[in-house]
Amino acid sequence: MDERPMPSEASLAREIFGPLGGIVECGASLRGETAAEFVAIRRTELDRILAAVRDIGRFRPETMEIVDQLGYLREHDIPVTSLLLWSGCIEEFSPELGGAEAVRRMARMGADLQLTHLLQALVGTASFRARDVEASAATIVEVLETAAVLGSPAHARTASEVFLMWRAAFLPGVLMPASNSPEAVKRSFRAYAHTLEAALDTCASGELG
């Protein structure tokens, strides 16, 4: 019997769209662009990500509208306090928080952290809603490859780097015996971790060849 509590479709979507919004805000801050400028320049990449998210989660159109409701892809202010939160408070809250160096550190750390949160949310959504692990893992890799270059122009991450950060930071919390994750969730996360690793190794081998 599958004992997994079934999250709502909307809650799964929000878990994905939140980190994606963080990546947008951190990327815009690193490039000195407004949110609207950042989105307009990278509309093709963002649309590709959203289409992949829709497919992974088999989300309905009304669920995909949540990303518009959250407002991350529209013009809006990006206060330094948002960067502080996206980055996990890597900087101390102080009058110097808005300085160029502090903003750079927060935006770079925030991009890294939110990429790992994005992968966690994608795997979680796929675990509950996707029908095929290999196909969904391949789509997740495509999302990572696209999203990873949105964060830092000078220090763009690879999909493999995001995977390694996620595997070290998030996976043990799901899989350790002390975790309260149901066994079905552990099995699913293990399956995605193994399949993603194999897919990324294959990509790396192809690039080297």
Side-chain angles (χ1 to χ4, degrees):
M1 179 178 179
D2 193 336
E3 299 177 350
R4 291 186 294 177
M6 181 63 72
S8 70
E9 184 176 330
S11 67
L12 290 171
R14 286 178 180 275
E15 287 294 318
I16 294 172
F17 297 148
L20 182 59
I23 293 166
V24 168
E25 291 195 346
C26 291
S29 298
L30 282 166
R31 289 172 166 82
E33 299 168 355
T34 67
E37 289 169 340
F38 182 91
V39 170
I41 293 168
R42 295 160 191 87
R43 186 78 253 184
T44 299
E45 290 88 344
L46 289 166
D47 285 345
R48 190 182 307 133
I49 290 171
L50 293 174
V53 167
R54 180 198 62 212
D55 293 344
I56 292 166
R58 295 187 290 121
F59 290 151
R60 294 170 294 175
E62 54 266 37
T63 302
M64 294 302 298
E65 291 174 1
I66 292 173
V67 72
D68 295 323
Q69 297 165 12
L70 292 173
Y72 291 123
L73 304 187
R74 298 196 301 268
E75 177 54 25
H76 63 280
D77 291 334
I78 305 174
V80 291
T81 49
S82 289
L83 298 179
L84 182 66
L85 294 175
W86 292 130
S87 66
C89 293
I90 191 171
E91 290 291 306
E92 182 180 7
F93 187 82
S94 73
E96 287 74 43
L97 193 62
E101 190 62 20
V103 167
R104 183 193 65 82
R105 274 195 296 267
M106 289 188 293
R108 285 183 60 187
M109 172 62 176
D112 285 350
L113 185 56
Q114 297 314 311
L115 282 166
T116 61
H117 278 291
L118 177 64
L119 178 51
Q120 176 77 350
L122 290 169
V123 172
T125 293
S127 294
F128 282 106
R129 296 186 61 85
R131 294 192 177 101
D132 184 273
V133 172
E134 286 195 8
S136 296
T139 306
I140 289 172
V141 169
E142 293 174 6
V143 172
L144 293 183
E145 289 174 339
T146 306
V149 299
L150 297 179
S152 171
H155 303 87
R157 297 299 182 183
T158 65
S160 292
E161 287 174 324
V162 177
F163 171 75
L164 292 175
M165 289 190 291
W166 167 79
R167 186 172 65 178
F170 285 86
L171 200 55
V174 177
L175 301 183
M176 289 290 285
S179 167
N180 60 6
S181 300
E183 288 303 315
V185 171
K186 291 180 179 180
R187 287 195 300 271
S188 187
F189 267 70
R190 281 196 181 96
Y192 273 99
H194 296 166
T195 307
L196 286 167
E197 181 178 24
L200 289 165
D201 284 348
T202 299
C203 290
S205 297
E207 290 172 0
L208 291 174

